[in-house]
Amino acid sequence: MLQFIDFTPLRRGVLVALVLLLAGCTIAKPRTDDPWEKFNRKVYRFNDKVDRAVIRPTAVAYRKVTSPNARRVLSNFFHNVRMPITIANDALQGEIKDALKGTGRFVINSTVGFLGFFDPASKMHLPPRETDFAATLAKWGVAEGPYLVLPLIGSTTVRDVWRMPVDGRLFDPMGYYARTHDYELGRQHWPSMMFLVTIRASAIDAENLVEGAFDPYVFYRDAYRQRRLYTIYDGNPPFEAIQQLQGVDEEDIDALLEEQDAWDKKQEDGKQH
């Protein structure tokens, strides 16, 4: 749903000024607290109901009418279309070499790869890479801020929420297409909707992990933070950052394991009856 929110326009000059004024180039350390947990849990329950009623059934239907190969080809296309987001933010982060590699990947897949439906760039040693404006803010020292769950959008943080208006308005071709076209039935938004369906469909295979979690809300929160941490540190976060993200000591870990064991036992007893 990210592409359909009409955020206040941000001029490129304001964006550049913001980045230049950010203090330092050290990656901001993650936060481990969740001060808005009460609000977040309410929104999480709302999102879960919407997902079960509308979004997941749509994703399941999509999987039923498409083959794995067709889904892979379509996923390639959407990831290629969104490649300018990564290229622009690599440049803003000062990663010029990565920005050039991303540009090469985008050009190759858009031409030889038939608009990105195929991925010859990976075979040419230009593997996929993903970053965004929130990672750019982190690289420039902006703290993560509290964890936040938004209606229909899901997990984010006070820092990460800025990638929606900035990337969506300045760097995302699908966002630009939706803003500059006006078709009947809102067809200008269909590409973005289809992209979201492909993302939800790809997550169905991992649903067993969530079903086995003692607290699905905590599972999603921690999984989101871990994924963002790996994005910010290019897949190689330092041990200190991982420790701070977890925010637990050995006694806390033992208590969590005991809770998980009790939950698993309860689930098994329920299946037997």
Side-chain angles (χ1 to χ4, degrees), residues 101 104-106 108-109 113 118-128:
K101 286 183 177 179
R105 176 181 171 81
F106 178 68
I108 291 171
N109 282 352
F118 301 96
D119 184 18
S122 291
K123 297 180 180 179
M124 301 172 69
H125 306 291
L126 292 171

Side-chain angles (χ1 to χ4, degrees), residues 156-171:
T156 187
T157 65
V158 171
R159 180 188 64 207
D160 288 3
V161 76
W162 282 98
R163 62 181 169 152
M164 295 179 232
V166 175
D167 288 336
R169 296 200 66 86
L170 300 183
F171 309 132

Side-chain angles (χ1 to χ4, degrees), residues 18-38:
L18 173 63
V19 174
L20 291 177
L21 289 173
L22 292 174
C25 299
T26 304
I27 295 177
K29 293 183 178 180
R31 297 281 293 277
T32 56
D33 58 316
D34 186 3
W36 300 336
E37 181 174 353
K38 186 176 180 180

Side-chain angles (χ1 to χ4, degrees), residues 10 28 68 113 127 142 146 150 155 158-159 169 189 206 210-212 218 245 250 254:
L10 297 174
V142 177
L150 296 178
S155 298
V158 171
R159 180 188 64 207
R169 296 200 66 86
H189 297 299
V210 181
E211 293 175 358
V218 172
L245 177 67
E250 292 183 1
D254 291 339

Side-chain angles (χ1 to χ4, degrees), residues 177-189:
Y177 178 83
R179 292 194 309 275
T180 55
H181 293 77
D182 185 16
Y183 300 127
E184 293 182 358
L185 305 177
R187 286 177 297 169
Q188 66 273 17
H189 297 299

